[in-house]
Amino acid sequence: WRPDWYSLGDGKLRLHAQPPAPLRQLGSVFTHKFVAPTFSATASVNLQAVRDGDQAGFGIAGLADHWFGVRRVDGAPRIVSVRCGEGGPCVEEVGATLPRFDVHLRIDVTDGARAAFSYSADGRNFVPLGAPFEARMGRWVGAQLALFATGATGAHADIDYVRITP
């Protein structure tokens, strides 16, 4: 733990960007174990990017990591998704351009730990992202929801809320 990894203020959690690295190698990741066999988790994320490559992500950490989020690409906010197999390479896909760096990211988990990602620019209309997948447990605990920010010094992500619903 380091005091410069995060701060609290204005009713938001601020995740200060860390140097880019694979999810399982980041020093600071805000995590929470799965709360039930089925649930939805929605995070309101506002990326304050300093340069291209700065990003904020929400996903599932375990033996296989899958996450998605917003990244600054050519000065614009873009959706990105990354899937890392157990001990294998990561596959990254840069998706749609967003109207702003403020986005709602949702993870829906169904029976059998099947997870699906979706995102929304307005918090109401969600767009599915990629195919559903099986969340894989970690080494010591089960699969975990994970929030993080990486990028240049000074970049950060403000998390207004994470809402978990049945």
Side-chain angles (χ1 to χ4, degrees), residues 30-151:
F30 183 77
T31 63
H32 195 288
K33 292 193 307 186
F34 277 24
V35 297
T38 62
F39 67 94
S40 291
T42 304
S44 174
V45 177
N46 187 347
L47 175 64
Q48 299 295 314
V50 173
R51 67 172 189 214
D52 284 350
D54 295 348
Q55 61 189 8
F58 188 37
I60 298 175
L63 292 177
D65 299 325
H66 301 281
W67 64 268
F68 69 122
V70 59
R71 177 185 296 163
R72 181 175 150 174
V73 177
D74 295 329
R78 301 278 300 268
I79 281 290
V80 62
S81 64
V82 177
R83 294 183 182 218
C84 301
E86 188 175 332
C90 295
V91 176
E92 178 179 294
E93 183 176 327
V94 177
T97 300
L98 299 166
R100 46 188 190 282
F101 287 95
D102 188 10
V103 65
H104 301 267
L105 305 172
R106 178 174 290 162
I107 300 172
D108 292 305
V109 177
T110 58
D111 285 327
R114 298 283 302 163
F117 295 156
S118 59
Y119 66 93
S120 173
D122 63 12
R124 292 181 304 274
N125 301 303
F126 282 82
V127 177
L129 182 65
F133 61 92
E134 181 183 345
R136 302 290 311 269
M137 63 183 239
R139 294 190 188 279
W140 297 284
V141 297
Q144 299 175 49
L145 298 173
L147 272 167
F148 65 92
T150 62

Side-chain angles (χ1 to χ4, degrees), residues 142-164:
Q144 299 175 49
L145 298 173
L147 272 167
F148 65 92
T150 62
T153 300
H156 61 271
D158 287 331
I159 312 303
D160 188 25
Y161 61 80
V162 177
R163 292 187 181 134
I164 298 177

